[in-house]
Amino acid sequence: MISIRLISIRRSAAIGVIVTATAGLLAGSGIWATAASADGTYLGGLNHNDLVASTVPGNGDVNPYGVAVVPRTTGHLVQGDVLVSNFNNKITTANPTGQQGLGTTIMQVSPTGAVTQFAGLNGPVAGCPGGGVGFTTALVVLRSGWVIVGSLPTTDGTASTLGEPGCLIVLDSRGHVREAFSGDGINGPWDMTALDLSGIGITELFVTNVLNGIVPPPAGSTANSTANEGTVLRILITSTPSALPQRLKTTTIGSGFAETTDPAALIIGPTGVGLGRDGTLYVADTVNSRIAAIPDAVFRFSDDGTGQTVTKKKNLMGPLGLAIAPNGDILTVNSGNGDIVETTPAGKQVADETIDLSTPGGAGGDLFGLAVSLDGNAVYYVNDGNNQLYRLS
């Protein structure tokens, strides 16, 4: 067991441990060696937008949200495969898009398009408030074999039943639920990234939350509930292959992000998160079409509010999924225009490309989860309008 005293290691010593471990992980993945395109951008070198596979399982779940690439083969997990979490249950005549907050499956897709169901839940999870499951975009796969996914459940697919805070569900490498983390700031976990230091037995999870201050509107109402109380948590956990992860400490490192319920999207709030090489956490401030930066996120023990604005609007229109490119730039996919945008840490939007080809004009709100391949030569993203996983390479 990792002692809670790890978090009080002198900062200079901790930086050395984490920087060394992180450098080793990135060097081992090979993504630092990825060359930039002729115009100096990462996206400029990605010219093929290909369908990989459908993400619809046997039970009919739709609305793929979270995307995570498997870093190491263990159990049923295969290195380089992609996990995708589904947020909605099956399509019916009464619910032609499925009911939001009732998706219970995680699909596993190989780079060649072979699809299996990694996990499927059949009922409530002990320790997870809400009485049900609705998998969100918050999805990470650790090198130790643990898979952690957010749940924000509803009972009827509408914002009027958003009253429970949900949780983070921990699954083993065979897709079995083992435990859940809830409370202590977890309230509508919406997206997540991780600093995975499983080699030394710890991991830092960075989780956005979208329900703080939200009052569910009455059933049948078209009115929206809004608040500026969205948060970013850093959750320190143990992460060894042989023992269940334990939650050691939770710190609020960001707060005050805009949130709003929405009849079509259920809830809109801070979504994608990605950790830069210097320890800066980048956050997709979806409501404000903005990318925020929270510096020193790995070691910070204070709340940085809504962070520093890296860039706002221009080609950003409701950014959702966020990932860090091999060259250190910030990649975001937009709900408002179907584009993927590349932004430098200095705030310059250097590349923009429409990748949602399923909706005329790309403005169908279809893009959600985003992840970079292990070799850095491609990005995977989901289209929740047609329930497909794509690769831009």
Side-chain angles (χ1 to χ4, degrees):
M1 175 178 173
I2 305 299
S3 170
I4 190 66
R5 289 178 296 174
L6 276 172
I7 62 174
S8 64
I9 296 174
R10 286 197 316 125
R11 189 175 188 279
S12 58
I15 289 175
V17 170
I18 290 182
V19 167
T20 300
T22 305
L25 291 177
L26 290 175
S29 71
I31 66 174
W32 276 5
T34 301
S37 64
D39 65 2
T41 69
Y42 174 67
L43 289 180
L46 307 183
N47 303 307
H48 303 282
N49 192 11
D50 300 311
L51 170 65
V52 181
S54 168
T55 57
V56 180
N59 74 348
D61 278 358
V62 293
N63 208 5
Y65 265 21
V67 178
V69 179
V70 177
R72 177 182 292 175
T73 297
T74 179
H76 292 167
L77 298 169
V78 177
Q79 186 178 50
D81 280 5
V82 182
L83 296 191
V84 177
S85 54
N86 286 308
F87 188 56
N88 290 27
N89 64 2
K90 67 180 180 181
I91 293 172
T92 64
T93 301
N95 296 286
T97 59
Q99 294 174 301
Q100 300 185 92
L102 288 165
T104 61
T105 51
I106 299 175
M107 305 306 291
Q108 183 167 336
V109 184
S110 77
T112 59
V115 182
T116 57
Q117 181 174 300
F118 173 73
L121 277 59
N122 296 316
V125 173
C128 188
V133 172
F135 286 148
T136 68
T137 325
L139 177 66
V140 298
V141 187
L142 304 183
R143 292 167 62 86
S144 52
W146 299 107
V147 175
I148 305 176
V149 60
S151 176
L152 190 161
T154 68
T155 57
D156 65 1
T158 71
S160 65
T161 58
L162 270 177
E164 297 292 343
C167 66
L168 298 177
I169 298 172
V170 180
L171 304 100
D172 62 25
S173 61
R174 298 183 181 275
H176 302 138
V177 174
R178 300 295 300 276
E179 62 180 329
F181 298 139
S182 62
D184 197 13
I186 295 176
N187 192 14
W190 201 229
D191 209 338
M192 175 169 54
T193 192
L195 176 58
D196 183 357
L197 301 174
S198 296
I200 58 173
I202 59 171
T203 291
E204 289 187 340
L205 305 174
F206 299 90
V207 186
T208 62
N209 294 271
V210 295
L211 289 187
N212 297 291
I214 292 294
V215 178
S221 172
T222 58
N224 293 327
S225 174
T226 62
N228 291 316
E229 297 184 33
T231 61
V232 181
L233 304 180
R234 183 187 63 228
I235 303 175
L236 182 68
I237 64 170
T238 60
S239 56
T240 62
S242 58
L244 279 176
Q246 295 186 37
R247 187 175 179 180
L248 301 177
K249 184 173 178 62
T250 299
T251 305
T252 300
I253 62 171
S255 65
F257 288 91
E259 316 157 306
T260 182
T261 58
D262 182 274
L266 189 70
I267 187 79
I268 304 172
T271 308
V273 275
L275 191 65
R277 294 177 186 170
D278 64 351
T280 298
L281 187 74
Y282 297 99
V283 183
D285 182 356
T286 307
V287 172
N288 293 309
S289 293
R290 166 181 176 263
I291 297 174
I294 298 176
D296 202 27
V298 174
F299 302 103
R300 170 180 294 277
F301 286 94
S302 60
D303 183 349
D304 196 42
T306 57
Q308 304 167 9
T309 297
V310 178
T311 189
K312 187 174 183 178
K313 298 186 176 178
K314 298 180 182 177
N315 293 319
L316 291 181
M317 294 180 63
L320 292 170
L322 185 152
I324 305 301
N327 65 356
D329 286 353
I330 307 150
L331 305 175
T332 45
V333 287
N334 288 332
S335 61
N337 59 11
D339 288 8
I340 184 170
V341 180
E342 179 177 351
T343 303
T344 69
K348 184 177 181 180
Q349 295 179 22
V350 293
D352 172 61
E353 180 179 347
T354 299
I355 57 173
D356 177 8
L357 305 180
S358 67
T359 305
D366 295 335
L367 306 181
F368 233 97
L370 177 70
V372 177
S373 64
L374 293 185
D375 62 11
N377 291 322
V379 293
Y380 290 99
Y381 69 94
V382 284
N383 184 313
D384 65 14
N386 60 13
N387 306 299
Q388 308 274 16
L389 175 71
Y390 289 84
R391 178 175 53 238
L392 182 65
S393 62

